[in-house]
Amino acid sequence: MSQMYCGAVRILFVLTATAFVPGLSQVVDQATIDYMASNLDVRFNVISNIEGGDETFAAEIILTNKGGQPIVRGDWAIHFCHIRLIQPDRLVDVKSVNVGNPEILRVTHIDGCLYKLEPLSTFSGLTTDIPTNIPLNSSHWFVSKTDVMPNWFVASNNTVPRIIISTAGESLDFVGPFDTEAKWKRYEKDLYNPFTAEARYERNGATDLKGPGLMVVPTPVEMDLQMNKTMMLTKDWVVMADAGLEKDANFLSRKLGLRIVSNPPSSRVIRLVLAAVSFNTGTDPGNNNESYTLRVDTAAKKITITSPTGLGILHGVQTLPCLRNENGDYMETTIKDAPRYGYRGMHVDVSRNFQGKEEIMQLLNIMAMYKLNRLHLHLTDDEGWRLQIPGLEELTTVGANRCIPRGNDQCILPQLGSGPSISTPGSGFYTVEDYQEILTHAEDRHIEVIPELDMPGHAYAAIVAMKARYTNLTAANHANASAFLLEDFNDPSKYHTAQWFVDNAINPCIESTYTFVDHVVSEMVKMHQNIQPLKIFHMGGDEVAKGAWVNSTKCKEMRVRLGLNDSDDLMRYFVNRVAAITKSYNLNMAAWEDGFLDSNEVPYNVNSFGINNVYANAWQNIWEWGVANRAYKLANAGYKVIMSQATHLYFDHPYEPDPEERGYYWATRFTDTMKTFGFMPDDLYANVETKRSGESYTKEQLCEKPENCEKLNMKDNVVGIQGHLWSETSRTRDQFQYMVYPRLIALAERAWHKAAWESEPDKEKRNQMRQEDWAKFANSLGYRELQRLDNMSVAYRIPPPGARVEDGKLLAGSAFPGLKVQYSTDQGNTWCDYTDSKEMPSGTLQLVTRSADMKRTSRKVEIQVPVTSATSQMSHSLPLVLTIVFIQQFVMARR
């Protein structure tokens, strides 16, 4: 669900060679490892993704010894994360292959993305600047800088592993440029190129309205705003709330710094009232338990927020700050509002790379601000178990830590560039207290937390942790050492997952598996109790690799005993057993779509689970694969479907098809904020525009095969929409926020508000209406919403500017009008504000977009401005202007 690929990759390793006698070896001690880590310069360059057709790409790794001592053969190994399968024609069946021409290294696939390179007896050593080329094959392609993971490290027996300094950190400076089509395209038919400044200018297209296009985001159902009537909210205002709204009154009181009173004055009061809300005929979107009215009465100096629930009251509270003008005064307003969907969610993967509770609580603040009400926390995966479970301490003492074990260390293997030692973001977890603090924060904002423990696939961390528990208890002669084992030791089944794990599927044929599931569900129920009672257990259920369990002795025995035929039956058995456990705790159950489908794409009988509501995240919709119909299949089969389509709602994908943009791109080459804004969840197949390659593709083409376009008969079973961040390439706080924001705001708009253009059947007219609506939304981001994020210290993505030269004049702008564009004529040493009335100097200009608070910039882009008579005169005067500026700055500095 987080990545899917097809194809293959070729890599070229380039090493510096020496004239040493082949076979020369040395004893490797800590000094040797430290020397290699400090002096080994690593460079990774993609050569071509196209040269081998759709199946291979060529790259090179250049290792250069920058020190004064030779590096010779020994028992050292270079470990690195490579997200493709090296030598797929050979490493599928064996663990190691020799590489080079002549063969001088052995490459070994350890597990997941972790590989190691070791010298053979033919390795003649490394000195300075004598490269040796070693070609390799790998599956898939590399077209993005972040396909390469940092923090390669060197290790040997009985030494402390060290990160190779040239690969350390987040700069990825050791990765070469993607500066040709052969490097930035995945295959011959890949139509995507990095956006030029001109292409981006054309795509941006939003008219600058000189102010927010929408007063409130997400858009209310009904709003009457009188901008000429205003009032100031001073500190002598008070808050009064009906019984049952104490929590919401406290929230508002803290937000505005106002006192709460029990007897309201005649004016200068904000009233929170529990009462029903009625809508005009034809405008009621349903979901009335979240409906609210908000009345700002400037004459009476009163504000009244009314709703039948505290959740609706909070929506009104969150709307209130949007009703201020540029002077901070509140405008006369009447709003009636309710959401289109009851489920408006954000999914966050904290397993691949861990984010602490502070970042999750910041996310909750922003979700509440934009009226999202479900936080789907992906707490476990192959790369880490992130929640403390009392009674099974190994899940976090082992499963939450990534390292190369030394001595008595127990941990899971390094993945995704986490390095050899226990440190964040590769390692980390929430204690029970941390998790309950998150729950309290969410409950105060009426956001339901849905914890996911992914199983039976994506469970490498849990399997390793429970094996460590078994090993420790067996050594202590404990009678119940095997009580929570998740694997059959007599299972020689061979498989590779989408992320190249070979041992990540919990065995469904041993009773200890279900003892484990019952225990962790029981402990989660306890954690939620008295804070936010657990309603839904999400079991994951996705991407179980073909080949898992086929040779398990326990599964062979169980198939005979229960009359089961194949792995399909085993998966169905597992899901039913987990459903029974879920039911025993009076919980609803959820899973990713493939957790509820057999190999023939037929949904399991939802009634067999005996659970009130079973939720399915419909995620896989690569259009040309014909599987987008899963969403409607599941809804028609009685599942409650959450629209989670990867092409529009996976925020781990890049914002642009540019090698400098972070993220995986398995479902679509890019997803920007406009694409998420334009998603039509009520008409899934209307979203078809391109194939994954960028080739044009239409709903009509998709539906040429009627089975590709199953009709939605049970519309009420599509209950919501959710955005997703898978965190493979998001290791830091800033990277996390860059990927989430501002796409989350577009998600919130579509989750809350159904736009008129969504119901327009004529595609050309619909696109025109959508573009007009986008212009309003984009102006709201640029002129107001991004400033709100700046005020919360959120490192949202700033879109690079678009620009073109027309009739000798530079035209430039941001995707979000209101953000300033600046230019530089001196390679970024000085920056000037761009205005369309200003004559630009000729030559190469660098352009950036500034954040709303002017403190950060986008990526730089370049454009050539031709020479005109005006620019020629300006260029002659430019040195004098720069000299004057320099003198002024010098004088100011002296003062």
Side-chain angles (χ1 to χ4, degrees):
M1 146 203 80
S2 57
Q3 58 171 317
M4 299 185 69
Y5 302 106
C6 58
V9 183
R10 196 177 84 194
I11 299 181
L12 185 70
F13 285 86
V14 181
L15 308 173
T16 58
T18 73
F20 295 147
V21 177
L24 182 65
S25 184
Q26 72 178 47
V27 175
V28 175
D29 56 14
Q30 190 63 54
T32 305
I33 297 299
D34 293 347
Y35 174 84
M36 291 181 67
S38 297
N39 294 284
L40 194 59
D41 184 68
V42 175
R43 292 290 179 265
F44 185 99
N45 300 313
V46 170
I47 304 300
S48 176
N49 291 298
I50 295 174
E51 159 181 310
D54 290 355
E55 300 301 320
T56 63
F57 87 71
E60 64 182 3
I61 293 175
I62 305 173
L63 304 180
T64 305
N65 179 3
K66 293 292 188 179
Q69 304 172 28
I71 297 173
V72 300
R73 182 171 61 85
D75 70 344
W76 54 263
I78 296 171
H79 293 69
F80 62 102
C81 169
H82 187 69
I83 64 172
R84 313 294 191 237
L85 185 62
I86 293 175
Q87 295 291 93
D89 56 332
R90 297 160 69 188
L91 279 181
V92 166
D93 299 314
V94 298
K95 294 291 288 185
S96 302
V97 294
N98 296 341
V99 294
N101 186 20
E103 294 178 344
I104 61 171
L105 293 173
R106 176 184 297 114
V107 62
T108 301
H109 177 227
I110 300 173
D111 212 348
C113 72
L114 187 63
Y115 290 82
K116 66 176 178 179
L117 279 172
E118 302 168 283
L120 298 171
S121 60
T122 52
F123 179 76
S124 57
L126 299 179
T127 56
T128 304
D129 298 330
I130 308 177
T132 299
N133 297 352
I134 302 174
L136 292 177
N137 287 325
S138 291
S139 60
H140 318 317
W141 44 73
F142 274 11
V143 299
S144 173
K145 197 171 185 179
T146 57
D147 286 343
V148 185
M149 296 292 170
N151 300 321
W152 299 28
F153 59 92
V154 60
S156 70
N157 294 327
N158 303 315
T159 62
V160 178
R162 301 294 192 201
I163 291 176
I164 298 171
I165 291 173
S166 60
T167 70
E170 294 301 324
S171 68
L172 297 178
D173 288 340
F174 69 101
V175 182
F178 292 75
D179 51 5
T180 67
E181 284 196 0
K183 295 180 183 182
W184 70 60
K185 288 183 181 288
R186 293 159 289 177
Y187 36 76
E188 288 278 4
K189 292 184 178 180
D190 188 347
L191 300 184
Y192 287 111
N193 295 301
F195 290 162
T196 61
E198 294 83 356
R200 191 179 296 109
Y201 184 87
E202 196 67 30
R203 180 172 176 80
N204 287 349
T207 303
D208 189 345
L209 304 177
K210 307 302 181 183
L214 303 169
M215 284 306 301
V216 178
V217 176
T219 303
V221 174
E222 301 176 21
M223 183 168 72
D224 178 28
L225 180 69
Q226 299 182 50
M227 301 178 70
N228 61 332
K229 296 181 179 181
T230 64
M231 67 181 182
M232 185 182 299
L233 202 68
T234 52
K235 291 299 180 182
D236 57 342
W237 279 62
V238 295
V239 175
M240 181 181 174
D242 284 0
L245 297 177
E246 292 80 8
K247 180 171 62 177
D248 306 293
N250 286 327
F251 183 88
L252 178 59
S253 172
R254 292 193 303 271
K255 192 178 185 74
L256 299 181
L258 302 179
R259 291 184 302 114
I260 299 173
V261 299
S262 55
N263 296 312
S266 59
S267 64
R268 300 182 187 277
V269 60
I270 302 177
R271 289 289 309 271
L272 307 182
V273 179
L274 281 174
V277 174
S278 60
F279 289 82
N280 295 326
T281 304
T283 64
D284 188 350
N287 298 306
N288 285 331
N289 66 315
E290 294 190 67
S291 63
Y292 71 95
T293 64
L294 192 161
R295 175 81 172 104
V296 178
D297 187 338
T298 57
K301 290 188 168 44
K302 289 183 180 180
I303 296 174
T304 306
I305 301 173
T306 304
S307 175
T309 66
L311 177 53
I313 292 290
L314 185 66
H315 294 329
V317 169
Q318 296 289 4
T319 299
L320 189 56
C322 302
L323 305 179
R324 290 178 295 183
N325 62 18
E326 63 275 10
N327 298 319
D329 296 337
Y330 287 82
M331 295 174 284
E332 180 96 5
T333 314
T334 300
I335 289 176
K336 289 185 179 180
D337 201 8
R340 79 188 290 185
Y341 287 125
Y343 187 114
R344 305 177 304 282
M346 183 64 201
H347 159 280
V348 176
D349 166 19
V350 294
S351 174
R352 271 52 180 274
N353 283 297
F354 183 66
Q355 295 289 336
K357 64 181 180 182
E358 295 80 10
E359 185 58 42
I360 300 304
M361 289 192 285
Q362 172 81 312
L363 173 66
L364 287 165
N365 292 339
I366 298 169
M367 287 177 64
M369 194 161 79
Y370 292 106
K371 303 182 177 72
L372 296 173
N373 66 350
R374 301 288 195 282
L375 174 62
H376 174 173
L377 266 184
H378 187 79
L379 291 163
T380 74
D381 213 297
D382 298 315
E383 295 86 354
W385 183 287
R386 305 302 188 187
L387 178 62
Q388 180 186 20
I389 300 294
L392 295 178
E393 284 70 24
E394 293 85 359
L395 286 171
T396 45
T397 59
V398 177
N401 294 321
R402 301 207 293 247
C403 74
I404 294 294
R406 298 178 60 248
N408 295 323
D409 291 347
Q410 290 181 307
C411 54
I412 61 174
L413 290 171
Q415 297 289 327
L416 301 171
S418 59
S421 59
I422 296 172
S423 61
T424 55
S427 301
F429 66 94
Y430 304 121
T431 65
V432 171
E433 292 75 18
D434 290 336
Y435 185 67
Q436 289 180 327
E437 193 173 341
I438 290 170
L439 290 177
T440 300
H441 202 76
E443 180 63 15
D444 286 347
R445 288 151 183 78
H446 296 280
I447 296 173
E448 179 184 347
V449 176
I450 300 172
E452 179 190 349
L453 308 180
D454 207 349
M455 57 181 74
H458 287 283
Y460 168 79
I463 291 169
V464 171
M466 291 301 93
K467 185 175 183 179
R469 181 182 188 277
Y470 167 82
T471 300
N472 296 340
L473 293 181
T474 298
N477 296 314
H478 196 286
N480 295 318
S482 62
F484 295 97
L485 267 179
L486 301 176
E487 59 186 314
D488 173 10
F489 292 145
N490 295 311
D491 182 5
S493 303
K494 290 186 177 181
Y495 57 88
H496 280 97
T497 71
Q499 294 79 24
W500 310 118
F501 283 89
V502 298
D503 49 3
N504 83 335
I506 291 173
N507 194 292
C509 308
I510 54 179
E511 197 58 30
S512 54
T513 286
Y514 305 103
T515 304
F516 172 86
V517 175
D518 185 87
H519 182 86
V520 296
V521 172
S522 171
E523 290 301 321
M524 284 198 305
V525 169
K526 292 176 187 175
M527 287 183 220
H528 279 251
Q529 196 173 351
N530 300 323
I531 301 174
Q532 185 185 82
L534 186 62
K535 298 176 182 177
I536 300 173
F537 169 60
H538 200 299
M539 56 155 275
D542 62 300
E543 292 187 328
V544 177
K546 185 177 181 180
W549 318 315
V550 295
N551 293 315
S552 163
T553 301
K554 296 292 185 182
C555 287
K556 289 177 180 178
E557 293 171 354
M558 193 174 81
R559 278 199 292 263
V560 172
R561 187 171 70 253
L562 299 180
L564 305 178
N565 294 319
D566 51 24
S567 294
D568 251 12
D569 284 352
L570 293 178
M571 183 64 183
R572 190 192 310 265
Y573 176 84
F574 176 83
V575 174
N576 274 281
R577 286 291 303 268
V578 174
I581 293 169
T582 304
K583 181 182 178 182
S584 72
Y585 290 98
N586 297 312
L587 301 176
N588 293 317
M589 185 168 73
W592 300 99
E593 61 183 28
D594 35 337
F596 294 132
L597 295 167
D598 67 20
S599 59
N600 295 314
E601 301 280 310
V602 177
Y604 300 153
N605 181 359
V606 71
N607 296 321
S608 69
F609 302 142
I611 294 174
N612 290 335
N613 293 302
V614 183
Y615 296 86
N617 290 93
W619 60 277
Q620 172 54 278
N621 72 311
I622 295 176
W623 303 115
E624 62 269 30
W625 290 7
V627 293
N629 59 9
R630 290 175 173 181
Y632 290 173
K633 279 184 179 181
L634 287 161
N636 290 338
Y639 290 85
K640 304 300 182 185
V641 171
I642 301 153
M643 302 301 266
S644 306
Q645 282 71 23
T647 56
H648 291 70
L649 301 173
Y650 268 33
F651 299 163
D652 54 305
H653 282 48
Y655 282 91
E656 290 187 5
D658 192 297
E660 293 297 317
E661 288 286 350
R662 182 171 302 279
Y664 287 174
Y665 41 83
W666 64 264
T668 182
R669 186 61 187 89
F670 75 99
T671 296
D672 60 7
T673 306
M674 180 165 61
K675 188 174 180 182
T676 299
F677 174 88
F679 184 59
M680 295 170 279
D682 287 353
D683 189 0
L684 180 58
Y685 309 127
N687 294 287
V688 179
E689 291 183 344
T690 62
K691 295 181 180 180
R692 187 163 62 158
S693 63
E695 297 173 80
S696 177
Y697 197 54
T698 66
K699 176 181 178 179
E700 291 70 29
Q701 289 174 293
L702 173 68
C703 298
E704 284 175 0
K705 293 182 178 179
E707 63 272 19
N708 286 350
C709 296
E710 174 149 338
K711 184 179 179 181
L712 177 62
N713 299 317
M714 305 289 287
K715 293 184 179 181
D716 288 347
N717 281 341
V718 176
V719 297
I721 182 174
Q722 181 167 279
H724 307 77
L725 181 72
W726 300 100
S727 64
E728 288 96 335
T729 67
S730 299
R731 288 174 290 275
T732 70
R733 167 192 172 274
D734 283 3
Q735 291 166 3
F736 173 90
Q737 294 183 352
Y738 181 98
M739 300 303 279
V740 172
Y741 311 104
R743 287 185 282 204
L744 178 141
I745 307 176
L747 164 73
E749 177 70 8
R750 285 287 68 79
W752 185 272
H753 171 66
K754 182 172 182 178
W757 49 262
E758 294 186 62
S759 301
E760 172 55 54
D762 182 270
K763 185 175 182 180
E764 185 175 343
K765 185 176 180 181
R766 181 175 68 233
N767 288 344
Q768 181 182 346
M769 293 170 64
R770 178 167 61 183
Q771 187 61 32
E772 291 170 357
D773 199 23
W774 164 251
K776 295 177 185 177
F777 183 81
N779 276 266
S780 296
L781 291 180
Y783 279 103
R784 187 182 56 228
E785 302 306 324
L786 297 182
Q787 182 63 62
R788 297 177 76 188
L789 296 186
D790 279 330
N791 294 342
M792 301 171 76
S793 300
V794 173
Y796 58 85
R797 181 193 185 251
I798 308 164
R804 74 179 183 202
V805 176
E806 190 174 283
D807 297 329
K809 182 179 180 181
L810 179 67
L811 303 177
S814 168
F816 308 139
L819 297 186
K820 281 189 179 297
V821 173
Q822 294 186 321
Y823 68 92
S824 174
T825 61
D826 57 4
Q827 296 298 306
N829 290 318
T830 57
W831 293 94
C832 303
D833 290 350
Y834 164 83
T835 63
D836 56 11
S837 61
K838 183 184 292 185
E839 291 287 349
M840 294 292 109
S842 62
T844 300
L845 293 187
Q846 288 188 336
L847 301 170
V848 295
T849 309
R850 286 279 178 183
S851 59
D853 65 0
M854 299 295 288
K855 294 180 180 178
R856 298 183 299 120
T857 68
S858 68
R859 286 190 289 112
K860 296 176 184 177
V861 300
E862 290 189 351
I863 193 167
Q864 294 292 325
V865 178
V867 176
T868 66
S869 59
T871 57
S872 177
Q873 292 175 11
M874 183 176 179
S875 65
H876 286 304
S877 64
L878 191 59
L880 176 59
V881 173
L882 291 177
T883 300
I884 293 170
V885 170
F886 174 79
I887 293 171
Q888 288 175 334
Q889 290 176 340
F890 177 79
V891 172
M892 291 298 293
R894 294 286 292 177
R895 290 178 182 172

